[in-house]
């Protein structure tokens, strides 16, 4: 019940024990193509270039940034938590001239603040996290695509922690590139990073295509500045997933099966229903911890549905309490980073864990652990408040 | 029965359907530590820094090179097939000044040729493939570590296609860094890249450590030129697998389970026994295709045990014959790259496919397919010759 990775859906784990086939077996390439279509539904996009990067969610982030950004390009990162800092780090390693704006942890940006910064910096790309689990905040994105288009900037979004559990509209919001991971609301294990790339970004990336030594043909000409990574070179990865099927990495078959099943689960449920489920169980957990008498960190009107930051009561050693919850009740919750380390616990309700029984058991166990530390919790207050949400 | 990825061992697939736990759960970190120990046995090394890179085998290659090599460093690559070209490509993208020596496809290098080039180039690192599946050749490595030490160069080896099926001695041969993948002789799916790093290389990598923004503490000082990748920054990945357990990527739990099971299978069997098994079934396949009257490409005294390149007989469309083998018999074999495309098929006997029944069924089916093309095959000649090897 932490901020992710969380318990995977048993259907996903079962899918991952299926037999392998060769990477160019027609069934394999059909499965790759099917998976592209499923993730178009998940990202709510018509982008042809929607596929998987073979690595954890940060491999997807780095693939996006290293393929979009050339050394010396300006990148603007609105930072509202630890994962905004990660975007600055990755962009800087790509050679970008990184500019940031910041709000205090627990807040999000108004669109006007982002536009002011875009106007001042004139970046090639804006890179923003949607849901930053370190603060639990969910940045509104609906206006940012239009802002970036107005100022001729590309908009990249890291939706790792939010996708599937919070509203996300790739095309309606005008996002150019978005990446995610399986280990949050998608109900799978980390190790595969779904990505979607719109036409404006595809043009930028393909303008730097260099087919690698060893497989290039005489027709392959070198374009623009070569992308600094081979593994995360999206120009080549698009040729591997596309009709040319140009050999690149060997697709991670078992992770593909897992990613496909994660998307199938969401598409079967319906994306709106999945978001509503996360909203419902997230609300129950929020009211539940409040019902125990605990404070909640941050501007909850902008809280992600799938995680809540709970203030650790005075006199409680946060890490010891987490250990007690794990050892005695088998339930894991998270700590946080930077300014919130030791100040909050992060409790998730996402993917397969966005379930009533998971919420109620967690609240019941947390009450017992807190009582053991002498915290004056309201007996039954957590489960009771959550039940009222469910009623 | 191609050159990999191949059928995974059912035990590995079963292990990959196990439940997930949180990334800092004590059982999870114990499992990571256990996996480090298992891969020390597989690589035959005492290197503390032996772990997994979360991506396919080329993620491991790129992690090694981007972490070792700084822009402007000289790297020497002895190229004897497609995957040597890949090393030049990746090293060049890391900013290296890449020097190559080449032998014709189907041959390997004498140690003297490598030493002459090292003497002339004076590289920071020599990067060499052990087994290049594109040609089936296995480069002898036993003398290269000593040569590199003599000339103060690091030695990196891509053992993706060879490890577990051919002799490999990380420490005895003086290799500084080696990487692999699961999808060849290790009997698993692609998506995880085992790596081992010796002390000389660890010192070079740690001299460039920059703990990332968002989690760095006041005690973390920046050292040397920052590694150009964040995802594949081995200085940080070592801190994630090591006692500091510094947050980095979220370890791909299911791939970890798979990688652990691959190593367990090899360690239970014994590395020497696994290599002998690959030698035996590889010999049976070699004699089998010869018994069908087919030619074999390359210097078979230096052939990897786990793959053979079979010359496509005159009058046979190699790709159509492969399709017939797949569609009618459910058996996949490979084509090749570059100068060998359309000239040879590559047939593997590796991992779970290094089995007598797999060898005999493949030879029996290949005979039928060839006969359909009017090739004058010796009836029963393939299976018969393989049986003689087994007898």
């Amino acid at each position: 019940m932490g901020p992710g990775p969380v318990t995977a859906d048993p259907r996903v784990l079962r899918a991952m024990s299926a037999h392998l086939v060769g990477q160019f077996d027609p069934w394999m390439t059909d499965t790759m193509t099917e998976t592209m279509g499923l993730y178009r539904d998940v990202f709510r996009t018509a982008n042809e270039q929607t596929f998987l990067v073979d690595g954890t969610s940060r491999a997807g982030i780095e693939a996006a940034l290293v393929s979009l950004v050339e050394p010396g390009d300006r990148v603007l990162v609105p930072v509202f938590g630890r994962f905004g800092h990660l975007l600055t780090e990755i962009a800087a390693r790509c050679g970008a001239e990184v500019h940031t704006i910041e709000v205090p942890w627990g807040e999000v940006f108004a669109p006007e603040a982002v536009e002011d910064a875009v106007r001042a910096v004139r970046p090639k790309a804006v890179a923003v996290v949607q849901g930053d689990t370190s603060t639990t905040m969910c940045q509104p994105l609906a206006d940012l695509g239009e802002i970036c288009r107005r100022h001729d900037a590309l908009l990249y979004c890291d939706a790792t922690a939010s996708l599937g559990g919070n509203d996300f509209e790739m095309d309606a919001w005008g996002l150019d590139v978005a990446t995610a991971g399986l280990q949050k609301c998608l109900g799978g294990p980390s190790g595969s990073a779904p990505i979607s790339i719109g036409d404006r970004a595809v043009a930028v990336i393909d303008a730097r295509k260099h087919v690698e030594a060893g497989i290039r043909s005489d027709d392959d000409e070198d374009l623009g500045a070569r992308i600094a990574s081979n593994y995360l070179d999206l120009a080549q990865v698009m040729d591997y997933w596309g009709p040319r099927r140009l050999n690149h990495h060997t697709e991670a078959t078992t992770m593909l099966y897992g990613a496909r099943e994660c998307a199938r689960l969401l598409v079967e449920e319906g994306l709106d229903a999945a978001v509503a489920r996360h909203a419902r169980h997230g609300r129950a957990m929020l009211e539940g911890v409040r019902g125990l008498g605990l404070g909640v960190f941050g501007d909850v009107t902008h809280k992600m549905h799938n995680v809540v930051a709970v203030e650790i009561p005075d006199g409680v050693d946060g890490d010891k309490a987490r250990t007690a919850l794990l050892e005695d009740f088998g339930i894991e919750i998270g700590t946080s980073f930077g300014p919130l380390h030791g100040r909050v616990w992060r409790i998730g309700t996402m993917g397969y864990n966005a379930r009533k029984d998971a919420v109620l058991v967690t609240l019941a166990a947390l009450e017992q652990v807190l009582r053991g530390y002498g915290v004056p919790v309201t007996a039954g207050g957590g489960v009771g408040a959550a039940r009222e949400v469910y009623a």
Side-chain angles (χ1 to χ4, degrees), chain A:
Chain A
M1 298 300 285
V6 296
T7 320
D9 192 296
R11 248 181 70 177
V12 175
L13 297 177
R14 219 154 47 222
M16 295 182 77
S17 64
H19 264 301
L20 310 186
V21 295
Q23 64 176 323
F24 297 111
D25 183 295
W27 187 85
M28 177 68 179
T29 52
D30 285 352
T31 299
M32 292 170 73
T33 302
E34 178 195 352
T35 302
M36 295 172 84
L38 287 162
Y39 276 96
R40 284 186 202 110
D41 289 346
V42 172
F43 280 112
R44 300 230 196 222
T45 184
N47 289 336
E48 172 64 22
Q49 298 301 346
T50 303
F51 51 89
L52 307 174
V53 172
D54 282 9
T56 72
S57 38
R58 78 165 62 195
I61 299 171
E62 187 163 320
L65 293 179
V66 78
S67 300
L68 288 174
V69 175
E70 294 184 40
D73 283 342
R74 285 188 299 281
V75 173
L76 174 67
V77 183
V79 175
F80 59 101
R82 179 252 195 279
F83 291 99
H85 287 297
L86 179 62
L87 297 185
T88 71
E89 176 77 24
I90 294 173
R93 290 189 189 218
C94 299
E97 180 188 310
V98 179
H99 297 254
T100 59
I101 51 175
E102 295 199 39
V103 287
W105 284 35
E107 300 179 18
V108 298
F109 292 91
E112 298 73 28
V114 176
E115 181 155 27
D116 288 348
V118 170
R119 196 178 286 117
V121 172
R122 306 202 69 74
K124 178 180 185 178
V126 175
V128 65
V129 174
Q130 182 183 28
D132 197 315
T133 51
S134 68
T135 69
T136 75
M137 293 297 103
C138 190
Q139 171 63 44
L141 299 172
D143 299 318
L144 299 195
E146 176 56 30
I147 289 170
C148 286
R149 274 179 165 66
R150 201 147 57 220
H151 298 279
D152 201 26
L154 295 163
L155 179 55
Y156 161 73
C157 176
D158 170 13
T160 301
S162 51
L163 187 69
N166 303 269
D167 287 331
F168 186 88
E169 297 285 346
M170 179 105 205
D171 288 358
W173 294 348
L175 305 177
D176 292 296
V177 183
T179 63
L182 306 186
Q183 74 275 18
K184 309 280 184 176
C185 303
L186 272 61
S190 74
S192 180
I195 187 170
S196 184
I197 313 172
D199 290 345
R200 294 201 315 161
V202 168
V204 169
I205 294 165
D206 273 345
R208 298 175 66 192
K209 191 193 287 190
H210 291 233
V211 174
E212 71 190 31
I215 57 166
R216 56 187 298 143
S217 72
D218 294 341
D219 298 336
D220 290 315
E221 51 177 333
D222 288 342
L223 302 171
R226 182 159 56 175
I227 291 168
S229 173
N230 171 281
Y231 188 63
L232 302 172
D233 173 350
L234 293 176
Q236 291 197 102
V237 179
M238 289 191 284
D239 263 349
Y240 178 69
W241 284 80
R244 189 171 173 193
R245 294 281 172 209
L246 196 63
N247 188 252
H248 186 252
H249 65 281
T250 299
E251 181 57 18
T253 316
T254 299
M255 287 307 307
L256 171 75
Y257 295 165
R260 180 172 72 147
E261 199 68 14
C262 288
R264 278 176 161 173
L265 283 162
L266 280 178
V267 170
E268 283 176 18
E269 180 179 13
L271 268 294
D272 288 336
V275 171
R277 171 169 54 86
H278 282 86
R280 176 175 156 85
H281 296 295
R283 184 86 198 157
M285 185 63 85
L286 172 67
E287 296 306 334
V289 295
R290 283 171 164 167
L292 285 171
L294 301 173
V296 169
F297 173 80
D299 173 7
V300 293
T301 59
H302 287 114
K303 194 182 77 60
M304 281 190 281
H305 295 144
N306 49 305
V307 61
V308 62
V310 182
E311 290 169 358
I312 300 171
D314 288 340
V316 175
D317 180 317
D319 286 343
K320 282 192 181 152
R322 291 198 307 125
T323 299
L325 202 54
L326 180 63
E327 290 188 348
D328 293 348
F329 298 88
I331 297 170
E332 186 196 47
I333 63 173
T335 179
S336 193
F337 300 98
L340 293 182
H341 187 79
R343 279 189 52 202
V344 303
W345 293 309
R346 294 178 301 153
I347 305 180
T349 44
M350 63 185 88
Y352 185 65
N353 284 358
R355 295 194 328 267
K356 184 178 180 180
D357 62 303
V359 170
L360 297 185
V361 164
T362 302
L363 289 166
L366 185 59
E367 178 184 328
Q368 301 302 324
V369 169
L370 290 171
R371 184 171 294 117
Y373 279 94
V375 178
V377 287
T378 312
V383 168
R387 277 202 163 126
E388 280 182 31
V389 172
Y390 288 124

